[in-house]
Amino acid sequence: MIITVTGAAGQIGYALLFRIASGAMLGPEVPVSLRLLELPQALEAAEGVAMELDDCAFPLLRDIEITDDAAAAFDGANVALLVGSRPRAAGMERADLLSANGAIFAPQGRAINDNAADDVRVLVVGNPANTNALIASAHAPDVPAERFTAMTRLDHNRALAQLSGATGAPVSAISRLTIWGNHSSTQYPDLSHARIEGEPFEIDRGWVEQDFIPTVATRGAAIIAARGSSSAASAASAAVDHVHDWVLGTPVDDWTSAGVVSTGEYGVPAGLVSSFPVTSTGGRWTIVEGLEIDEFSRARIDASTAELAEERAAVEALGLLAPA
Ligand code: NAD
Ligand code: LMR
């Protein structure tokens, strides 16, 4: 399989590429060809990463190509991991950030449209991930919108870890947890349908509302405060999990969370790329339908969805959703 990674010389790239090449993402039987897209000034650093990949002598790694040309990078790509993006700088307004990222994700969407394999699956990691996915998809009219996804698996994994820590249940015993909405602090980590050892369980509402939800929703900022830079290894691990489950399927009786295009499920306006509970079979995400949504959950899903709608309106106003 041909795997394209953008921002390959960045800190997530450094954690991600070795996991992909080891077979963690697509399994121990699937050889991988890596295509690394970087900015011209980071090509030399990407060469260094490629030297280290060579030095691992991964049996599944067929070849590595490094380029600053998006058409070449996405040529024949089966999986595209869009990691490279413009971080928010001091004094930058949200519109500035959305506009800077539009300049990245619009041309990359076009390059995917024109060059990638017919079965291409796209995961956007670069922030603001949901809206960047929307922009890329808008510029790839020949690729079904459902193939553009945004990463909320890191939030899902963070929620699993928090619940495991609070209950003592191993992560492997927890199922049916959901992240709704945007990959931002408005996201809603939802335990209403969660199970431990396959059974519903009692949990203190005060802990859920005052501890669990804010801890998961602001974990990215807490990592930045502690590390001095944003999450990298955990983000890479979540990207591996997302693509692994998308291609190879989710476990029976469980679901995961992913930012996928809404067709109106749970009142989320159609066209928004929002996080939902999802299963995957046959290489396709399906939104889990029919879950009961109580008043508490409704308000939080609506708040995060409203933020996504605002982001969409902002990029629409900037002309970033109109294919050139
Ligand atoms: P980084 O700054 O270390 O690396 C980004 C890399 O992208 C750099 O090497 C840069 O040269 C490259 N780049 C920038 N524009 C590019 C373009 N147009 N084409 C190709 N490459 C380009 O950043 P990082 O820590 O690796 O994080 C990358 C992104 O992932 C950030 O936007 C970050 O906020 C986001 N992130 C998302 C999640 C999530 O859960 N969705 C989690 C962590 C980080
Ligand atoms: C994260 O969730 O760790 C990243 O999206 C970084 C951030 O800005 O929160």
Side-chain angles (χ1 to χ4, degrees), residues 20 51 62-63 131 190 240 259 305 318 321:
I20 298 172
M51 286 160 69
R62 286 290 175 272
D63 54 75
T131 297
D190 180 9
V240 166
T305 302
L318 290 163
L321 296 184

Side-chain angles (χ1 to χ4, degrees), residues 33-57:
S33 292
L34 290 174
R35 303 285 177 265
L36 314 186
L37 180 66
E38 256 299 350
L39 296 175
Q41 61 270 28
L43 286 174
E44 194 181 346
E47 296 282 356
V49 178
M51 286 160 69
E52 284 203 73
L53 282 161
D54 282 343
D55 294 350
C56 292

